Amino acid sequence: MTVCKIPFMTVAVPTTLDDAVRLLAEQPDAMLLAGGTDAMVEINDGHRRPDNLVIALNRVGDLRAWRHDTKRRTLTIGAGVTYTELMQEPIGRLAPALAEASRTVGSPQIRNAGTLGGNLGTCSPAGDGLPVLSALDAQVRIVSATGERTASVHDVMVGVKRTSLEPGELIAEIVLPVLDGWQGYAKVGVRNAMVIAIASACLVVDAESRHISIALGSVGPTVVRCPDAEQQLAAAVDWAASSVPPEALDEFAGLASSASRPITDHRSTADYRRHAVGVLGKRLARRAFTTEGGRT
Amino acid sequence: MTHEFFTLRVNGTDHEVADSWLGESLLDVLRDRIGLMGSKGACTQGECGSCSVMVDEVLVCSCLVMGASAVDQEIITIEGVAPIGSPSDVQQAFVDAGAVQCGFCTPGLVMAVHDLLERTETPTETEIREELAGNVCRCTGYGRIIDAVERVSVQRRATSQKESS
Amino acid sequence: MSVVEDTRTDIRPGTIGDSPARPDGIEKVQGNYAFSSDLSADGCLFGATLRSPHPYARIVSIDLSAAWKISGVEAIITADDVPGKLTYGLISQDQPVFAADVVRYVGEPIAAVAALDPETARRALDAIVVEYDVRSPLLDPEAAIAGSHEPIHPDGNLIRHQRIVHGDPSATGDVVVEGTYEIGMQDQAFLGLEAAIAYPDPGADGIELHVATQWLHEDQGQIAACLGFPDDKVRLVLGGVGGAFGAREDISLQVHTCLLALRLGRPVRMAYSRAESFLGHVHRHPATIWMRHHADAEGTLINVEARFVFDGGAYASTSSAVLVNGITMAQGPYACPNGRVDGYAVRTNHLPCGAMRGFGAVQACFAYESQMDKLADACGLGPEEIRLHNAMRTGDTLFTGQAVMNVAPVEECIRETAALPLPDEPVGGAPLDDGSPDAMKLPGGAGRTADARDIVRGIGWGVSIKNLMYSETFDDYSTARCRLTDGVATLKFATAEVGQGFITIAGQIARTVLGVDDVVLDQIDTGVGSAGSTSASRQTWMSGGAVDAACRAARERLFEAVGAAHGLEPIRLMIDGTDVIDTAGDLRVPVSEASAGLEIDETVEYHHPETEDLDENGQGNCHTAFAFVAHRAVVDVDPELGLVKVIQIATAQDVGNALNPLSVIGQIEGGIAQGLGLAVMEEIIQIDGVIRNGNFTDYLLPTFLDMPPVLATLIEQPDPHAPLGAKGVGEPPCISSTPAVVAAIRDALRQAGIEKPLDRVPVRPTDICL
């Protein structure tokens, strides 16, 4: 581990999770630096000034690993895995919605640096990977010097840029189910590349349990799930044929819109966001199922 | 081991950085501490790509890397692409194809194009656009840049065909 | 897939008509080209600027004491420390160097500090305490016109009102269409952020400033006045410029940097961040334009009525000239016998506005081209038909009474554009190898918001006219110096190279005129006469004209010397390739040999013909020259989500003579990108006078994925008035590309059975789908 220290600031670059956790225990309010794609923007803009310890995490090998447990049918992704890595085989095939969301993140430069753990730790309402984690009911393994705990991603994402992590805790891994069924992600931005989501949605179909999840981004303080819409669509699907009547899609869109709690800001209006998530929901469902009457 | 300075390995050479404020970005360290002015800062938000460098063979925005965290990594900047006066094929193609106007985005783009062609030898136009979407140019409208990339791709293919025959 | 096809084989490499590489190209690609932000000096200090957080407030007090206590702070200056003229400005000097008793826009400079490092300078700014008495800002241009708000400036709230009355302004037609159009505030958003370094002379009675700017001599005059120096005590050297697009025509950090350096007797550097840059330079004028077009049943224009309101923001800058540009071309590139235009440029507490590529013509064009489409519908004509039917020709008059005496190939521009092939790929393009759709070919891109079935494709047109050079009696001459010795030509000019490639064509001109191969470019500085501004699409004509004239003068001296040496009348001599030849005899001498030992040195000023003021009815030959262009846009639209993807832009542009075809293509593609940006994504958003998106995350520039391929035809009809037959090419591409894209969106929606006015740019998703 390399540590550089000047009177008011120390930057530590640990290479093991144990070292990282120990440093954090000594200074629980240390700034955790993953890919830097959120933190450095704040520092460059002068909105944030680290004033004692910065712990750089991008060299901790434990956080950059992932594993597929075929027996439990889970995909465990280290918090330091980058968006670029999430798009590659075989992870990309095991969590295709996450690969799609990763592709929408900024640029190759940002995808090479940004991490899933960082995305979750920042917990922006517009975080690109977060609707996917929510729709998959991801579990988050959180470590500290005193031990570890596993929490549902819904309990971790508390509000606008607020997680439930305590000082001294860091996100180690995110555990996703590997499901049998369609999953997809869509995101609205004003230009065709490099945009902060104005509205986003992730749809996950669990064909085995005949369950549907839809999670919406940028339409609430944090990711929004739509239980009414999920139940409606699951009930309307002909699971044997994997098809759904077109009217059910329109109803699904309406319920998704109703579940959203968007605001108006300089990027977009509440009306547009509410409308957009409905459209995204409908189109994702249309990709997941065939519509009765022949047309896909 | 704790030091009051940090060492960055840039273009194969070690540089001791002693007087920086540790929150400085790698871009600031490269320019203001080490004196390598080729990487440019136009947005400091990772939105324009002018600051692109390679860190351990991965293309990143140096404005989003905390300088002091880049220790023990191989950093390549535009200055490390080719010796002065002997431009790389990508650099020469940019000049020949009219892909340089004001030139401010150019170093970052050269880095991104080198990286793209390492990963994809014969990219389609759509692939070029997607892989370079993190580099913004305000002068050229991108047409001549795409032409430059395609020229290099064609030239390299012709060279390797010649070599293999 | 180069779009430049050069079928001529007889052009000597490096001369006019060839596309030689730019001389600074290798430096730029290797990263060792010095932009002004790359300049530094040993022992230099760092400057930073304190700016107003309020759009309108009285300054009650400024307390510098806490800032002075910070170790490393070397100087702090305010309005009290300005030794010369307290204000500056391009047309009227209405803008304070530092605000003294009132601030008029968010970002207005109040003080500047110099410190040992940028961090200390920033902390010093934070420590300055300013007490404000916040006032209610003037934000509504109509209130400025009506006089219902107190003057926010001693010069008043109306910067200029100009009326134009032409022919019979009450003439009506069988067909009448009207509309009110809004253009949002666009930013030039050059990448190379503002930066300068000032070196004070030892006696502090002079200074040398290295800065990225558009007009060295205009800066020099304004800076000297504020410093209380004669002009020749302020020397400007052009630092490498990272794009300009009009934003560097006004003073930004020049005077501040010089004041700090002179105070300290040491070099001072100043550099803006992106956020500060958005505040630190002028922007494109937001505008509201009402128009009413009258035509006969066949679609022949009879009368155009218009009312233009340009919001100039807090200070006048070039608002007066921008207004004149907009209103004098209100009819567009179309013949029309009658017109009535009222134009207002007003002062508000919004960000100051000034020059941006297109300079008033952009706003006018969006309005008149939207109107022409409405007229086409009302007359049952297609968009091309209505435009061909009314296309201007050489000799036709503007509403100012000025006859357009330049080549005016409007019809050819439209026909040549129409002849360019439409895209052959359908909506959504070809599927990928695995059969799945290619998201990147659809609106929404990687966001996968749509499938091909959700998309409709539309086609739209835009045609425009732009004036070249300055207007209303302004003598924007240019100067060039040519030295010829031993086969090498050395050129010196103050022409600001901002990326457009003037330095390339300067060498081409010299090689053509003098028959040399080697051209050396001297440093660009105020050590030679003014070149005027790099703006108004004027440098090819004016500075190209100056270089051409200086080279011709040098050639005359060469011919005199050769004539004297061989007993020939110089008039018999000419340049053939790289030789001097006798047209009536056998003599052939290489230029290198003929110029051996000579020291030829010629400096020439090139002036364009005089122009006139406008009278109170807007009549007068106020413009110098004109250029024309047509654009056709193909746009895919998702009507449900309001997202768009521009698929292709085709254009035929009236360029006169392409001195460097590759550079011309560069200007066309780059200008179209800016036009596309204004059409669908670029706008500075101010709420209550405060900018909300002063960064590149939220001020969106077109990326590789937003720009489509451009098909371009160059219409080369050499203009007899232009010194090299070449017209300026920089602005036309960004003028009618915007309405073409918007028209294509309207066309797409129509095919989906949806009528949307889309009378505001940039078009937002909500404008399309809600």
Side-chain angles (χ1 to χ4, degrees):
Chain A
M1 167 165 68
T2 308
V3 179
C4 180
K5 185 182 174 63
I6 55 165
F8 297 114
M9 210 177 125
T10 304
V11 176
V13 187
T15 51
T16 69
L17 187 55
D18 284 343
D19 281 344
V21 168
R22 193 175 38 75
L23 285 164
L24 192 54
E26 286 162 16
Q27 192 81 54
D29 61 351
M31 183 178 132
L32 296 172
L33 182 67
T37 57
D38 289 318
M40 286 304 294
V41 174
E42 294 188 347
I43 292 174
N44 291 340
D45 286 346
H47 296 320
R48 192 171 176 186
R49 272 259 180 296
D51 51 14
N52 44 40
L53 174 64
V54 173
I55 305 172
L57 297 172
N58 64 342
R59 237 70 67 68
V60 177
D62 304 325
L63 295 177
R64 308 256 339 227
W66 64 272
R67 60 188 183 280
H68 176 203
D69 186 330
T70 48
K71 225 162 76 176
R72 291 206 184 88
R73 295 169 65 198
T74 58
L75 174 64
T76 301
I77 302 173
V81 171
T82 67
Y83 290 112
T84 297
E85 288 160 349
L86 291 172
M87 288 168 65
Q88 289 164 353
E89 292 296 301
I91 300 189
R93 204 178 6 91
L94 295 169
L98 198 52
E100 286 183 357
S102 299
R103 192 182 183 186
T104 73
V105 170
S107 61
Q109 291 90 329
I110 306 290
R111 291 197 288 273
N112 286 339
T115 66
L116 192 59
N119 198 225
L120 181 58
T122 298
C123 205
S124 159
D128 293 308
L130 304 184
V132 181
L133 299 187
S134 170
L136 288 170
D137 293 315
Q139 296 288 309
V140 184
R141 185 164 82 87
I142 298 161
V143 302
S144 67
T146 53
E148 64 173 67
R149 61 186 180 94
T150 298
S152 161
V153 71
H154 306 292
D155 295 328
V156 172
M157 300 193 294
V158 167
V160 176
K161 299 205 164 183
R162 260 191 321 124
T163 65
S164 62
L165 262 60
E166 301 288 343
E169 290 190 314
L170 69 85
I171 299 167
E173 290 172 335
I174 294 152
V175 185
L176 308 173
V178 177
L179 296 173
D180 189 17
W182 189 93
Q183 57 178 248
Y185 175 86
K187 164 177 153 184
V188 173
V190 172
R191 66 183 174 185
N192 286 297
M194 307 241 329
V195 280
I196 301 229
I198 289 176
S200 62
C202 177
L203 180 74
V204 172
V205 176
D206 185 346
E208 207 175 296
S209 66
R210 297 192 170 183
H211 187 257
I212 286 172
S213 301
I214 178 157
L216 308 176
S218 298
V219 289
T222 177
V223 174
V224 171
R225 283 285 290 274
C226 316
D228 291 344
E230 293 168 0
Q231 277 170 34
Q232 175 265 336
L233 189 61
V237 166
D238 176 347
W239 288 97
S242 191
S243 74
V244 69
E247 322 76 74
L249 291 183
D250 290 324
E251 195 185 343
F252 178 64
L255 289 169
S257 283
S258 306
S260 68
R261 284 150 26 228
I263 59 167
T264 293
D265 62 14
H266 59 283
R267 293 191 183 123
S268 189
T269 65
D271 282 347
Y272 179 79
R273 287 174 156 131
R274 189 175 302 115
H275 165 79
V277 289
V279 176
L280 293 182
K282 182 173 67 174
R283 291 181 179 174
L284 287 168
R286 194 183 65 195
R287 284 182 201 144
F289 303 101
T290 58
T291 29
E292 285 155 16
R295 291 191 67 214
T296 314
Chain B
M1 230 191 347
T2 302
H3 309 278
E4 279 188 18
F5 59 87
F6 59 93
T7 303
L8 295 183
R9 187 163 180 79
V10 185
N11 301 327
T13 303
D14 285 338
H15 295 269
E16 241 176 53
V17 182
D19 51 355
S20 110
W21 159 64
L22 289 184
E24 275 180 358
S25 67
L26 176 59
L27 176 66
D28 291 335
V29 172
L30 289 170
R31 288 177 58 85
D32 301 336
R33 308 294 168 201
I34 299 177
L36 292 169
M37 308 301 274
S39 309
K40 309 299 180 195
C43 80
T44 61
Q45 289 187 330
E47 291 284 337
C48 74
S50 307
C51 64
S52 300
V53 298
M54 304 296 290
V55 177
D56 283 349
E57 299 181 343
V58 171
L59 183 77
V60 292
C61 285
S62 59
C63 74
L64 298 184
V65 176
M66 190 176 281
S69 78
V71 295
D72 306 319
Q73 294 188 297
E74 293 285 338
I75 300 164
I76 309 286
T77 69
I78 185 70
E79 290 91 345
V81 167
I84 296 293
S86 302
S88 72
D89 57 352
V90 170
Q91 289 170 319
Q92 187 63 54
F94 264 63
V95 176
D96 295 340
V100 182
Q101 288 188 32
C102 88
F104 206 83
C105 72
T106 303
L109 258 165
V110 168
M111 301 304 294
V113 172
H114 268 288
D115 177 61
L116 164 61
L117 292 173
E118 279 303 303
R119 292 181 289 110
T120 311
E121 277 183 10
T122 51
T124 64
E125 182 189 327
T126 307
E127 283 171 331
I128 294 171
R129 289 185 183 274
E130 185 174 5
E131 292 304 303
L132 298 181
N135 290 78
V136 169
C137 173
R138 192 52 163 165
C139 293
T140 67
Y142 306 113
R144 302 306 93 219
I145 299 171
I146 291 173
D147 190 44
V149 177
E150 290 178 339
R151 286 184 193 208
V152 176
S153 169
V154 166
Q155 277 163 26
R156 286 187 183 181
R157 203 167 1 135
T159 309
S160 72
Q161 276 168 4
K162 230 188 290 181
E163 280 167 2
S164 63
S165 66
Chain C
M1 72 135 230
S2 173
V3 300
V4 179
E5 280 178 30
D6 201 330
T7 53
R8 295 172 293 190
T9 53
D10 57 341
I11 300 173
R12 181 161 74 85
T15 60
I16 288 174
D18 189 26
S19 295
R22 53 183 307 136
D24 56 4
I26 296 293
E27 287 176 279
K28 285 179 173 176
V29 294
Q30 296 215 274
N32 59 315
Y33 176 84
F35 292 94
S36 61
S37 49
D38 299 322
L39 301 173
S40 68
D42 284 338
C44 82
L45 298 161
F46 296 85
T49 314
L50 181 70
R51 297 181 179 274
S52 165
H54 302 293
Y56 190 38
R58 190 172 64 84
I59 295 176
V60 175
S61 64
I62 304 175
D63 183 356
L64 307 174
S65 53
W68 272 119
K69 292 199 180 89
I70 296 174
S71 160
V73 171
E74 300 286 317
I76 309 178
I77 54 175
T78 64
D80 293 337
D81 302 300
V82 179
K85 201 163 158 68
L86 299 178
T87 57
Y88 64 89
L90 280 170
I91 297 179
S92 66
Q93 286 71 54
D94 70 334
Q95 185 155 6
V97 175
F98 290 114
D101 49 352
V102 60
V103 288
R104 299 185 175 91
Y105 69 97
V106 169
E108 175 155 15
I110 296 163
V113 308
L116 296 181
D117 58 78
E119 177 69 9
T120 304
R122 194 171 20 178
R123 281 196 292 127
L125 293 183
D126 289 343
I128 298 175
V129 181
V130 182
E131 199 189 327
Y132 298 98
D133 171 19
V134 177
R135 297 272 174 83
S136 176
L138 168 57
L139 299 176
D140 178 7
E142 292 300 334
I145 294 170
S148 55
H149 193 286
E150 56 150 18
I152 60 173
H153 189 284
D155 293 355
N157 296 340
L158 181 65
I159 296 171
R160 183 168 180 179
H161 170 233
Q162 179 68 52
R163 160 186 314 126
I164 302 179
V165 178
H166 185 70
D168 174 10
S170 65
T172 57
D174 294 328
V175 182
V176 182
V177 297
E178 90 179 75
T180 301
Y181 304 94
E182 266 187 48
I183 296 88
M185 182 185 282
Q186 188 176 21
D187 192 77
Q188 300 84 345
F190 50 63
L191 290 195
L193 292 166
E194 289 89 340
I197 182 163
Y199 299 91
D201 290 347
D205 61 350
I207 191 152
E208 181 167 300
L209 180 69
H210 294 239
V211 62
T213 186
Q214 289 175 231
W215 190 354
L216 291 170
H217 288 73
E218 176 61 32
D219 281 9
Q220 177 191 48
Q222 292 189 60
I223 296 166
C226 294
L227 298 182
F229 286 167
D231 283 4
D232 62 8
K233 282 301 195 176
V234 176
R235 301 179 306 284
L236 260 68
V237 177
L238 188 70
V241 186
F245 318 115
R248 300 191 207 263
E249 213 172 49
D250 293 74
I251 292 284
S252 59
L253 40 53
Q254 291 88 328
V255 179
H256 300 157
T257 311
C258 287
L259 284 173
L260 288 169
L262 283 166
R263 172 148 296 232
L264 293 167
R266 289 168 64 178
V268 171
R269 265 176 84 180
M270 206 181 253
Y272 287 175
S273 66
R274 179 57 59 185
E276 186 167 20
S277 179
F278 273 104
L279 300 175
H281 62 252
V282 297
H283 314 275
R284 189 188 294 292
H285 287 73
T288 302
I289 303 172
W290 168 85
M291 281 194 168
R292 185 156 63 198
H293 280 54
H294 302 252
D296 66 19
E298 281 78 54
T300 310
L301 282 173
I302 292 172
N303 190 5
V304 175
E305 302 172 85
R307 181 176 184 271
F308 283 64
V309 178
F310 282 83
D311 183 349
Y315 295 103
S317 176
T318 45
S319 296
S320 169
V322 172
L323 177 70
V324 163
N325 263 25
I327 60 174
T328 55
M329 290 176 278
Q331 76 209 73
Y334 307 114
C336 183
N338 308 297
R340 182 179 66 81
V341 185
D342 250 309
Y344 299 87
V346 302
R347 191 188 305 269
T348 67
N349 292 115
H350 282 131
L351 296 174
C353 291
M356 180 173 175
R357 192 174 189 175
F359 206 84
V362 165
Q363 296 91 325
C365 184
F366 177 63
Y368 65 68
E369 284 301 272
S370 298
Q371 284 287 97
M372 291 305 279
D373 282 339
K374 280 187 179 164
L375 201 58
D377 288 342
C379 297
L381 296 173
E384 289 163 65
E385 286 177 274
I386 190 85
R387 290 169 168 90
L388 286 168
H389 185 64
N390 291 288
M392 194 176 257
R393 296 199 180 107
T394 303
D396 285 339
T397 52
L398 299 183
F399 286 165
T400 56
Q402 178 165 16
V404 174
M405 295 318 297
N406 298 100
V407 167
V410 179
E411 212 180 293
E412 285 94 328
C413 287
I414 298 170
R415 294 197 194 282
E416 290 292 329
T417 302
L420 290 165
L422 286 165
D424 47 22
E425 271 196 341
V427 171
L432 298 170
D433 291 339
D434 65 359
S436 64
D438 188 351
M440 306 317 292
K441 296 282 176 81
L442 293 166
R448 297 216 58 208
T449 50
D451 297 309
R453 62 195 282 193
D454 302 310
I455 307 301
V456 277
R457 174 166 291 180
I459 300 176
W461 281 85
V463 186
S464 58
I465 175 175
K466 177 67 179 60
N467 64 312
L468 311 175
M469 280 68 76
Y470 280 32
S471 308
E472 295 189 280
T473 78
F474 201 104
D475 180 14
D476 56 308
Y477 66 92
S478 184
T479 316
R481 177 183 182 194
C482 174
R483 281 173 288 162
L484 176 64
T485 188
D486 296 333
V488 177
T490 302
L491 299 177
K492 189 167 184 72
F493 42 76
T495 311
E497 169 62 47
V498 304
Q500 82 281 31
F502 178 76
I503 54 173
T504 318
I505 62 166
Q508 290 175 257
I509 294 168
R511 283 186 208 97
T512 303
V513 173
L514 292 169
V516 297
D517 284 322
D518 294 324
V519 179
V520 171
L521 299 181
D522 230 336
Q523 175 174 270
I524 299 175
D525 60 31
T526 46
V528 67
S530 175
S533 175
T534 293
S535 65
S537 305
R538 61 179 288 287
Q539 292 292 27
T540 295
W541 187 305
M542 298 304 295
S543 292
V547 167
D548 180 62
C551 290
R552 284 170 191 273
R555 188 176 64 186
E556 280 313 298
R557 303 288 86 74
L558 178 66
F559 288 171
E560 283 160 13
V562 172
H566 296 272
L568 298 170
E569 289 297 317
I571 201 164
R572 291 161 60 145
L573 301 173
M574 68 174 270
I575 299 286
D576 178 42
T578 51
D579 297 328
V580 178
I581 64 168
D582 176 4
T583 55
D586 297 325
L587 180 70
R588 177 177 285 272
V589 183
V591 170
S592 49
E593 200 183 300
S595 60
L598 299 180
E599 303 249 337
I600 296 171
D601 188 349
E602 295 291 325
T603 299
V604 177
E605 261 181 32
Y606 180 83
H607 295 251
H608 61 64
E610 283 181 22
T611 56
E612 299 172 344
D613 278 324
L614 295 175
D615 66 20
E616 75 265 11
N617 286 317
Q619 301 302 293
N621 295 334
C622 71
H623 291 307
T624 310
F626 303 92
F628 303 88
V629 67
H631 292 98
R632 182 192 69 199
V634 177
V635 181
D636 285 351
V637 179
D638 178 349
E640 243 191 318
L641 278 178
L643 302 183
V644 307
K645 186 171 174 64
V646 183
I647 298 299
Q648 180 205 75
I649 294 192
T651 180
Q653 185 166 332
D654 160 38
V655 305
N657 180 15
L659 304 186
N660 182 317
L662 193 54
S663 286
V664 172
I665 294 293
Q667 288 303 297
I668 288 175
E669 292 177 329
I672 285 175
Q674 294 184 357
L676 185 156
L678 177 60
V680 292
M681 66 181 70
E682 291 186 45
E683 182 173 10
I684 290 187
I685 295 171
Q686 295 175 92
I687 299 174
D688 300 327
V690 180
I691 182 174
R692 303 295 169 163
N693 61 337
N695 59 72
F696 277 1
T697 298
D698 289 319
Y699 184 88
L700 299 178
L701 298 177
T703 66
F704 272 89
L705 284 170
D706 299 292
M707 253 307 272
V710 169
L711 302 192
T713 296
L714 308 185
I715 308 268
E716 289 187 84
Q717 294 179 15
D719 194 282
H721 304 276
L724 300 158
K727 293 193 179 182
V729 300
E731 289 173 296
C734 75
I735 298 178
S736 36
S737 45
T738 299
V741 169
V742 179
I745 299 173
R746 291 192 199 107
D747 182 54
L749 291 174
R750 227 176 228 180
Q751 289 173 55
I754 301 167
E755 286 287 330
K756 288 283 181 182
L758 302 186
D759 48 17
R760 187 182 193 279
V761 282
V763 174
R764 302 268 171 216
T766 44
D767 300 326
I768 294 173
C769 70
L770 290 185

